Amino acid sequence: MTVIGAAVALGIVGTAVAPEAAIAAPAARAAVVAGAVPDAWVEVSNGTHFRVMVGDHNVAPTRVDVRPVGSDVVVATLDKFWYESDTVGSEEPDIGWYEAHDELRLDGMGDYELDVYVPSDGGGVAGRKGAGRFTYALDPKLDVASDQKQFSLDDLDATATGSVTAVHPRTGERGPLAGALVSVQLGWGRSDVVSDSEGKFTTLVAAQGKESSLSLSARLEEGVQTPSAAQPVRIRPQQAALTLSGPSKGLIVRYGAEASFRGAITRVTDDGRTVAAAGRTAIAEPLKPGGLSASSVSGADGTFAVGPRVTAAGSWKVSGQDPWLIKTPAHTATVVKVTHTTDVVEEKVLSTDRYRKMTISGKIVVDGVTTQKAPVEIQAKAGDGRWVTQKTLTVDYNKTFTTTVEVFAEFPSSPWRIYNPGTQNIGPSTGADLQPGRLQTRFELVRVGPKPVCMGETMFVAGTLKAYGPSGYSHNYPGRKVRYYFKPTVGTVWKEMGSSITRADGTFGAKFKAVSDGTWRVRHIDTDAQHFASTSHTVYLDVRGGTAPCAAK
């Protein structure tokens, strides 16, 4: 049979029923017992054709009966199916279902249910009524209206009326859609209603009184096409008052704990009475940037306790913020002291050797009693300005600690600091910038030659030594001793070959006899107390054998 439509059933769990009669079943992949009958649904192909599906690839359905919702009268039966599947992946099993061979054609528009029957153990048939539901109609349209347009906490409900029409899949004529399941919503409140024979519906629906805004809407609950309609309505806020009770000034709070600002909210009812405002929002907002906000909902007696997490002393504005109430005047609550904050004190550089080993000391003091230990990060400022943790350790609060770190080779003059990240209930702290106390030196334009060179001939090593000032600018570094080192290709040990003193322009050079292939480098390790040692990059020199062709080059 053939049906035109644009709706799909949502699977609805039904009740297993006894088979009406033993029906010869087509070959099934597996027999099932009553209660394990799969869901059914309707899909639309080509935009107009209804097709019935049964969704368990392990069971071939015997038949599917179609009947109007709420009726036991079967208006159509489908008993021929073929197997369909989609492959999810090469190693995944197919997702399969059974599709009815015939299209579904019905006489009347409306909501229908699907009853599925499958082979059962013992050669019988197991069935489930209400295994699926769908709306048989095309292009449904809704309208909805309310008997009132404004709502308050004393008047949350309304009578909603509306109608639904659709195009008949077979005749193409638009008419009332009877028996359609319509969901009506007022704010967060919902009421489901079924349209009557004329496609009309009436239902009582109530808002919850917690919405930030209101609208009245209706939508069809079944079908591929689930159109909706809406009508604007609005909240009518009531006069309200908020008072603070208990201590709200001069509070002392531990770092990371929640302050407790207590109070009550009242409202004036539509008939003029002052009552507790239950379920209303109170909010505490910091008066200065950097603080944390918090909110709380009042209880049945209108009281609330709003607790912002405190990390620093300051003041908070406490007020009611609720769209159902006229905004209340704000009150001020103040925390004058936060305990268990920390400071980094007595930080200093004890020593920095020429090979970039820096020893620093410091102390993390805490304002309060604790058995915890202090997490500490030793940080250096990178070239892009970020503070980068180079070492972590744990120390006792209120006791001096000492630790050694290696200064950046790339940024040896960058500042360092001691950073305490704190814990959940003990505050963080940052120490002052520390300078390593030595400045960078660096070799530039180091070269070895000539290339090629023959064994026994004279060769040279030359370059320039630079020193950096506190501002980071380099200058030529005269009068400093540099040492020359060589490592033969077949060896692993660097041998000092000699030394020289840098000239007035920072340049240096020395001559040696070429003895074998190998790598050269220069080091400045005879530093003063203000500079780091440095080592140049390596340069490879190919030394050729002492043959006539070599000598002739």
Side-chain angles (χ1 to χ4, degrees):
M1 72 173 43
T2 304
V3 170
I4 311 168
V8 153
L10 302 177
I12 297 178
V13 176
T15 304
V17 298
E20 298 175 358
I23 300 175
R29 298 192 176 200
V32 298
V33 296
V37 181
D39 292 337
W41 67 94
V42 171
E43 288 187 354
V44 178
S45 62
N46 299 325
T48 57
H49 298 163
F50 284 83
R51 288 192 178 275
V52 174
M53 312 292 197
V54 179
D56 189 338
H57 68 281
N58 290 316
V59 180
T62 300
R63 75 175 195 269
V64 173
D65 289 343
V66 182
R67 54 183 174 77
V69 171
S71 171
D72 291 329
V73 177
V74 175
V75 296
T77 295
L78 300 156
D79 55 10
K80 295 179 181 179
F81 297 85
W82 63 70
Y83 181 70
E84 295 283 352
S85 68
D86 282 337
T87 300
V88 176
S90 59
E91 298 182 1
E92 295 287 340
D94 288 350
I95 296 177
W97 64 91
Y98 283 89
E99 180 176 341
H101 181 273
D102 296 317
E103 297 174 359
L104 188 59
R105 282 179 167 269
L106 301 175
D107 291 332
M109 294 192 299
D111 281 18
Y112 292 83
E113 290 187 294
L114 302 169
D115 303 333
V116 176
Y117 296 89
V118 297
S120 68
D121 289 342
V125 175
R128 181 156 72 105
K129 284 193 172 182
R133 178 173 174 157
F134 71 101
T135 300
Y136 183 64
L138 280 175
D139 191 25
K141 295 184 183 298
L142 276 169
D143 63 71
V144 66
S146 168
D147 63 344
Q148 64 185 62
K149 302 296 186 296
Q150 297 185 32
F151 298 85
S152 72
L153 291 175
D154 295 318
D155 185 11
L156 293 171
D157 57 4
T159 298
T161 58
S163 63
V164 54
T165 64
V167 173
H168 196 294
R170 297 184 63 182
T171 66
E173 297 179 355
R174 179 171 292 278
L177 181 58
L181 181 60
V182 180
S183 175
V184 180
Q185 284 192 270
L186 177 59
W188 295 347
R190 169 175 168 169
S191 176
D192 291 341
V193 63
V194 176
S195 60
D196 62 17
S197 60
E198 297 180 351
K200 297 180 179 180
F201 58 87
T202 300
T203 185
L204 187 67
V205 63
Q208 294 186 9
K210 298 179 180 179
E211 297 87 349
S212 59
S213 62
L214 276 187
S215 68
L216 175 72
S217 64
R219 68 187 299 270
L220 287 187
E221 282 299 291
E222 303 294 340
V224 170
Q225 297 178 348
T226 54
S228 62
Q231 182 188 58
V233 294
R234 70 182 185 88
I235 297 168
R236 185 178 70 250
Q238 297 175 328
Q239 189 68 46
L242 181 147
T243 57
L244 290 181
S245 60
S248 59
K249 306 282 187 179
L251 298 180
I252 298 175
V253 181
R254 177 169 179 154
Y255 177 92
E258 292 183 353
S260 183
F261 305 144
R262 298 181 177 274
I265 305 175
T266 59
R267 65 182 179 88
V268 179
T269 65
D270 290 348
D271 59 5
R273 293 175 297 114
T274 298
V275 299
R280 303 300 102 196
T281 299
I283 186 169
E285 301 171 286
L287 293 180
K288 291 184 178 180
L292 300 174
S293 299
S295 62
S296 174
V297 176
S298 60
D301 60 355
T303 61
F304 66 86
V306 59
R309 182 173 175 267
V310 175
T311 58
S315 297
W316 280 259
K317 179 180 69 174
V318 183
S319 62
Q321 290 195 1
D322 194 300
W324 293 84
L325 301 177
I326 296 174
K327 190 172 182 179
T328 60
H331 298 263
T332 301
T334 304
V335 174
V336 296
K337 179 177 174 59
V338 176
T339 67
H340 293 81
T341 56
T342 63
D343 284 309
V344 179
V345 299
E346 301 176 12
E347 65 267 40
K348 58 186 175 182
V349 176
L350 297 180
S351 65
T352 305
D353 70 17
R354 57 184 174 177
Y355 298 112
R356 304 197 315 276
K357 298 296 183 183
M358 180 173 65
T359 301
I360 62 177
S361 67
K363 182 189 296 185
I364 313 295
V365 296
V366 60
D367 176 20
V369 177
T370 181
T371 59
Q372 298 181 48
K373 290 184 177 293
V376 171
E377 298 178 14
I378 308 300
Q379 299 181 329
K381 183 175 283 189
D384 59 4
R386 294 178 301 111
W387 287 98
V388 180
T389 298
Q390 298 300 305
K391 187 174 184 178
T392 59
L393 61 154
T394 302
V395 303
D396 292 324
Y397 282 109
N398 304 318
K399 290 185 179 180
T400 299
F401 67 88
T402 301
T403 190
T404 299
V405 293
E406 184 171 349
V407 175
F408 279 138
E410 297 86 352
F411 309 104
S413 301
S414 293
W416 289 70
R417 71 180 186 182
I418 298 172
Y419 172 63
N420 161 37
T423 65
Q424 184 176 4
N425 57 9
I426 297 181
S429 53
T430 303
D433 288 1
L434 300 173
Q435 297 296 332
R438 287 178 180 258
L439 299 171
Q440 179 184 13
T441 62
R442 179 177 292 178
F443 287 101
E444 295 182 358
L445 302 176
V446 175
R447 56 203 181 278
V448 178
K451 298 179 180 179
V453 64
C454 290
M455 185 179 299
E457 288 186 339
T458 298
M459 54 155 291
F460 68 87
V461 181
T464 302
L465 179 64
K466 297 278 190 175
Y468 287 74
S471 61
Y473 291 100
S474 65
H475 57 85
N476 298 328
Y477 200 17
R480 307 309 305 175
K481 182 178 180 179
V482 296
R483 301 172 185 247
Y484 303 90
Y485 293 83
F486 174 71
K487 182 178 71 173
T489 302
V490 296
T492 59
V493 177
W494 289 96
K495 179 181 178 181
E496 184 176 345
M497 305 299 292
S499 63
S500 64
I501 303 299
T502 57
R503 305 179 185 95
D505 60 357
T507 61
F508 59 85
K511 295 181 179 180
F512 303 95
K513 182 179 290 188
V515 294
S516 68
D517 295 342
T519 304
W520 289 82
R521 72 181 183 185
V522 189
R523 302 187 71 194
H524 170 50
I525 58 176
D526 303 278
T527 66
D528 57 20
Q530 285 77 45
H531 290 86
F532 289 109
S534 57
T535 300
S536 75
H537 64 276
T538 59
V539 181
Y540 178 77
L541 182 65
D542 180 16
V543 178
R544 299 182 178 180
T547 62
C550 176
K553 298 185 181 179

